């Protein structure tokens, strides 16, 4: 059977099976093509599979040759983006009044730098910087979730091209020139093909309110501001974007100065009624929040499921409050509508996860991964293979260091250091590394148990192979491109497969466990905070200049989870 590609046998009948190319899956609506060949004869199956292979190849080529985005749609997107930004900029200009000379020159310099950086990104085909703007425009034009990754990149490239002209046009305005003519051929064609607009109707009332942008426009600017200022990482931005979309779905889109506290209250009430799985369950797909709440209310209490947690509701409100605070600073609104609301008490941080008990740790580290499995691909099946890679080391380092998962996953070879006779992990923020905050930058000595287990020999082997990172098997993933993204999911699956999964007991629980063990061993609190990257408190913390490696090593070795790992020791 290995010599017969794209054919599998189910029972006695052969079936054709071929994966759909990743870039076409959203268009075709399948990840693979499967069809019975209706024969148990291998020669007949071979002939039928060849015919189906050619037919599927023709299907793929037809889909590739029939792009979903027409020339007119691309032109509409870029024209809308260009005109929206310039209209919005002029609205702000009219509201601000006279601009001081120093501020004017700063803006000239800023937009000149934007032009330069955008050209550089376009030259390198680096399209990440316009991802948020592209998503917003696709959402506005009702194209979300309809395009393949290749087509999304096509739109991103067009937005980036137009963005250069946007920056140049705005810079020209701050130099007194309102007659800037776009240079990009795509944009010029889009503007020339635009229909001649009809004269706008006379406003019936409140003509001044027409100058205030709608909320949907300003959320895009807010998210771009947060991204450009590095105030939020991608995951936080994505969560906030979902919050703003939910608010618009519930309350509606209108000029921001027309919202009141009654709208904030209505949003909060609706959040408390939404089911926790409203965004994931297939039964709610395509429904408005109001319809979902009505459906849940009509469902019997024993099967309706949990509502959104208080913590999630607070997260949504926190995102809205941050947006309104930003709107305040720019003069769009006078009050923050999302402050002053009361929420049920949420679970304290130390209660959100459990501590690993000695019996649980012993069960984990005597499971097949550390006792012996069939192969690196079959870690849950008993065998004789012990593969000392990231899956082997990460939990061990977690419990014997109190380090955060991503701090371990992103370690580079130069982060494993030796000074004053002590081996230690250097947790730093040198790119491409990321740390939670400034306090997270620290030195964590390597626990004696990790040395006994052969961690230093493992690192030495990596140096011999000229590896750059301590765990080269990990690749960035998720919205924030975290090295621990895939491992987190794998670790949950592994514990379920070997029967050790417990709610509120995960990788971060190793950190809780290590901190608790140091406290029980009466390690001074300032040293614990220095090891785990927490800020000191009180007047004494202002004058504490840190501890030497010998002191920190003595403290880290006080982590004693009462484990027997002697079969893994390396002499």
């Amino acid at each position: 059977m290995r010599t017969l590609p794209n054919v599998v046998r189910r029972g006695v009948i052969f079936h054709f099976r071929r994966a759909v190319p990743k870039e076409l899956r959203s268009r075709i609506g399948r990840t693979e093509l499967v069809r019975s060949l209706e024969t148990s004869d291998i020669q007949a199956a071979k002939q039928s599979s060849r015919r189906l292979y050619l037919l599927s190849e023709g299907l793929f080529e037809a889909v590739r040759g029939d792009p979903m985005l027409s020339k007119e749609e691309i032109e509409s997107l870029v024209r809308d983006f260009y005109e929206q930004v310039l209209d919005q900029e002029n609205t702000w200009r009219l509201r601000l009044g006279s601009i001081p000379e120093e501020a004017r020159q700063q803006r000239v310099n800023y937009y000149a730098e934007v032009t330069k950086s955008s050209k550089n990104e376009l030259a390198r085909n680096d399209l990440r910087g316009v991802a948020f703007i592209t998503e917003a425009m696709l959402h506005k034009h009702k194209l979300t979730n309809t395009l393949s990754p290749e087509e999304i990149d096509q739109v991103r490239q067009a937005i980036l091209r137009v963005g250069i002209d946007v920056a140049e046009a705005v810079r020209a305005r701050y130099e007194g020139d309102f007659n800037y003519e776009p240079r990009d051929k795509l944009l010029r064609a889009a503007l020339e093909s635009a229909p001649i607009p009809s004269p706008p109707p006379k406003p019936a009332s409140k003509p001044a309110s027409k100058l205030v942008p709608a909320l949907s426009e300003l959320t895009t600017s807010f998210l771009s501001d947060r991204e450009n200022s590095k105030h939020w990482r991608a995951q936080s931005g994505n969560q906030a974007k979902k919050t703003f979309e939910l608010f618009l779905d519930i309350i509606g889109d209108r000029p921001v100065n027309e919202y009141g506290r009654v709208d904030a209250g209505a949003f909060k009430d609706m959040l408390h009624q939404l089911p926790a799985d409203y965004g994931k369950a297939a039964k709610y797909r395509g429904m408005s929040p109001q319809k979902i709440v009505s459906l849940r209310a009509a469902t019997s209490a024993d099967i309706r499921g949990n509502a959104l947690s208080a913590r999630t509701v607070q997260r949504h409100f926190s995102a809205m409050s941050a947006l309104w605070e930003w709107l305040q600073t720019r003069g769009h609104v006078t009050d923050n509508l999302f402050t002053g609301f009361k929420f049920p008490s949420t679970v304290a941080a130390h209660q959100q996860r459990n501590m690993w008990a000695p019996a649980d740790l012993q069960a984990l580290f005597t499971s097949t991964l550390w006792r012996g499995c069939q192969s690196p691909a079959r870690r849950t099946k008993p065998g004789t293979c012990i593969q000392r890679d990231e899956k082997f080391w990460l939990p061990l380092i977690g419990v014997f260091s109190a380090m955060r998962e991503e701090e371990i996953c992103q370690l580079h070879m130069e982060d494993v250091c030796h000074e004053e006779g002590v081996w230690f992990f250097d947790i730093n923020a040198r790119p491409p590394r990321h740390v939670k905050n400034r306090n997270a930058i620290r030195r964590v000595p390597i626990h004696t148990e990790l040395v006994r287990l052969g961690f230093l020999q493992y690192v030495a082997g990596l140096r011999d192979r000229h590896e750059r990172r301590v765990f080269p098997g990990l690749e960035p993933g998720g919205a924030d491109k975290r090295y621990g993204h895939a491992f987190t999911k794998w670790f949950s699956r592994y514990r379920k497969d070997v029967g050790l999964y417990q709610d509120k007991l995960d990788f971060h629980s190793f950190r809780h466990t290590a901190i608790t063990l140091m406290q029980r061993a009466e390690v001074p609190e300032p040293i614990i905070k220095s090891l785990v990257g927490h800020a000191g408190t009180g007047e004494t913390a202002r004058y504490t200049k840190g501890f030497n490696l010998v002191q920190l090593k003595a403290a880290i070795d006080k982590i004693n989870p009462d484990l027997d790992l002697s079969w893994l020791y390396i002499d």
Side-chain angles (χ1 to χ4, degrees):
M1 283 305 303
R2 292 182 180 177
T3 61
L4 204 56
N6 301 108
V7 175
V8 295
R9 183 163 57 190
R10 296 176 179 171
V12 297
I13 301 299
F14 289 104
H15 289 70
F16 174 80
R17 184 178 182 183
R18 185 181 183 189
V20 175
K22 289 183 179 179
E23 71 275 11
L24 302 181
R25 290 176 183 176
S26 62
R27 301 274 300 280
I28 295 176
R30 295 172 178 266
T31 58
E32 62 179 6
L33 303 177
V34 180
R35 181 173 177 175
S36 171
L37 297 177
E38 300 179 351
T39 182
S40 58
D41 181 73
I42 190 169
Q43 291 302 323
K46 186 175 182 180
Q47 292 179 1
S48 296
S49 69
R50 285 177 176 173
R51 180 173 57 84
L52 287 177
Y53 184 90
L54 292 175
L55 287 172
S56 64
E57 193 69 18
L59 170 65
F60 298 157
E61 289 304 314
V63 174
R64 288 190 180 100
D66 182 26
M68 292 183 66
L69 273 178
S70 65
K71 175 176 176 289
E72 290 73 20
E73 285 175 314
I74 288 284
E75 288 182 349
S76 177
L77 280 166
V78 298
R79 181 173 63 245
D80 187 11
F81 167 59
Y82 182 79
E83 292 176 344
Q84 176 180 308
V85 174
L86 293 188
D87 287 347
Q88 183 175 291
E89 191 279 331
N90 200 46
T91 297
W92 290 342
R93 173 185 289 269
L94 294 172
R95 290 176 62 86
L96 288 171
S98 178
I99 301 172
E101 173 58 27
E102 183 179 356
R104 185 197 69 81
Q105 188 59 50
Q106 286 177 349
R107 293 178 191 188
V108 168
N109 296 338
Y110 170 76
Y111 285 106
E113 184 59 34
V114 170
T115 299
K116 180 180 177 181
S117 61
S118 297
K119 287 183 176 179
N120 183 265
E121 289 171 1
L122 187 60
R124 292 184 290 108
N125 203 37
D126 183 355
L127 309 177
R128 294 171 297 175
V130 293
F132 266 119
I133 298 172
T134 301
E135 287 181 28
M137 297 307 298
L138 291 176
H139 177 75
K140 184 177 179 181
H141 287 250
K142 296 181 171 51
L143 292 171
T144 304
N145 299 326
T146 66
L147 306 180
S148 69
E150 194 173 84
E151 289 164 333
I152 291 174
D153 280 346
Q154 180 186 5
V155 179
R156 287 179 178 177
Q157 187 184 67
I159 292 290
L160 184 55
R161 286 172 59 180
V162 174
I164 295 171
D165 268 317
V166 169
E168 286 285 86
V170 176
R171 181 170 69 91
R173 291 185 176 190
Y174 284 107
E175 291 179 332
D177 178 9
F178 273 66
N179 297 309
Y180 174 83
E181 291 291 335
R183 299 174 184 172
D184 190 273
K185 292 182 178 179
L186 172 65
L187 177 58
R188 291 174 65 175
L191 295 174
E192 289 170 1
S193 65
I196 300 174
S198 302
K202 293 183 178 180
S205 61
K206 298 183 180 179
S209 67
K210 297 299 181 181
L211 293 175
V212 180
L215 179 61
S216 58
E217 297 176 29
L218 291 175
T219 56
T220 302
S221 300
F222 171 70
L223 290 169
S224 296
D225 179 76
R226 282 294 187 269
E227 182 188 31
N228 293 335
S229 64
K230 309 299 182 183
H231 191 85
W232 281 349
R233 296 193 67 184
Q235 183 177 0
S236 299
N238 289 341
Q239 289 178 338
K241 182 175 179 287
K242 295 294 184 184
T243 296
F244 303 152
E245 291 174 350
L246 183 59
F247 181 84
L248 291 170
D249 286 342
I250 293 173
I251 306 300
D253 189 19
R254 46 186 196 258
V256 290
N257 65 341
E258 294 184 11
Y259 293 101
R261 287 187 67 81
V262 66
D263 297 310
F267 181 58
K268 178 175 181 289
D269 293 342
M270 184 67 77
L271 290 175
H272 282 300
Q273 298 175 68
L274 279 173
D277 61 345
Y278 79 92
K280 299 178 181 178
K283 60 183 177 181
Y284 298 134
R285 192 168 297 147
M287 291 187 185
S288 68
Q290 292 82 356
K291 179 66 175 177
I292 293 172
V293 168
S294 298
L295 181 63
R296 183 173 182 269
T299 305
S300 58
D302 57 333
I303 62 172
R304 69 174 51 164
N306 296 326
L308 288 180
S309 67
R311 187 180 180 189
T312 301
V313 173
Q314 278 190 285
R315 177 171 59 77
H316 283 306
F317 250 62
S318 177
M320 293 303 301
S321 181
L323 170 62
W324 240 255
E325 182 179 346
W326 183 83
L327 293 173
Q328 272 186 290
T329 63
R330 281 153 179 77
H332 294 298
V333 298
T334 56
D335 299 308
N336 190 336
L337 309 179
F338 296 88
T339 57
F341 285 87
K342 303 297 182 183
F343 295 88
S345 299
T346 55
V347 179
H350 70 278
Q351 296 177 321
Q352 292 172 8
R353 290 181 175 86
N354 292 333
M355 173 181 167
W356 285 86
D360 295 326
L361 284 175
Q362 193 66 42
L364 177 67
F365 291 118
T366 53
S367 63
T368 52
L369 193 150
W370 291 274
R371 268 296 183 185
C373 58
Q374 284 188 6
S375 70
R378 298 186 175 184
R379 307 278 180 134
T380 60
K381 305 296 183 183
T384 59
C385 174
I386 298 179
Q387 181 76 11
R388 295 179 184 245
D389 57 5
E390 67 277 359
K391 294 180 174 68
F392 175 94
W393 286 113
L394 287 176
L396 289 168
I397 296 174
V399 77
F400 285 110
S401 71
M403 288 163 60
R404 299 177 178 92
E405 182 185 78
E406 190 63 13
E407 290 173 344
I408 305 172
C409 292
Q410 67 182 3
L411 284 169
H412 283 58
M413 297 303 298
E414 62 266 28
D415 300 335
V416 181
C417 308
H418 186 263
E419 287 180 21
E420 302 173 20
V422 176
W423 283 96
F424 64 94
F425 298 112
D426 178 23
I427 311 301
N428 60 79
R430 294 192 297 271
R433 304 165 187 81
H434 295 280
V435 294
K436 185 173 182 179
N437 49 47
R438 292 182 59 131
N439 298 313
I441 297 173
R442 63 198 190 280
R443 301 190 295 181
V444 181
I446 298 175
H447 196 288
T448 298
E449 190 70 354
L450 293 175
V451 176
R452 294 192 188 108
L453 293 168
F455 180 74
L456 296 180
Q457 288 92 325
Y458 165 78
V459 171
L462 294 174
R463 293 191 199 280
D464 290 340
R465 298 200 302 270
H466 304 289
E467 294 285 359
R468 293 190 308 108
R469 292 189 293 109
V470 175
F471 301 110
L474 298 176
E475 296 293 338
D480 288 331
K481 303 299 180 185
R482 293 178 179 271
Y483 283 104
H485 177 75
F487 175 81
T488 299
K489 296 181 178 179
W490 173 86
F491 191 50
S492 294
R493 291 196 305 270
Y494 176 80
R495 288 178 292 128
K496 289 177 181 177
D497 290 343
V498 297
L500 296 176
Y501 186 86
Q502 295 183 44
D503 191 30
K504 296 184 178 181
L505 195 65
D506 56 12
F507 192 95
H508 199 73
S509 300
F510 292 138
R511 182 170 166 86
H512 289 244
T513 301
I515 292 172
T516 301
L517 291 174
M518 284 191 283
Q519 290 170 336
R520 290 179 180 176
E522 299 183 345
V523 175
E525 196 68 17
I527 293 183
I528 293 177
K529 289 183 175 180
S530 179
L531 283 168
V532 302
H534 286 168
T537 56
E539 192 69 9
T540 305
R542 294 178 55 198
Y543 301 99
T544 301
K545 302 305 179 185
F547 304 91
N548 63 45
L549 285 168
V550 174
Q551 291 173 302
L552 296 175
K553 179 67 165 67
I556 209 75
D557 279 345
K558 291 290 181 67
I559 298 174
N560 181 13
D562 196 23
L563 282 171
D564 177 16
L565 301 172
S566 56
W567 76 91
L568 291 170
Y569 288 173
I570 293 180
D571 298 331

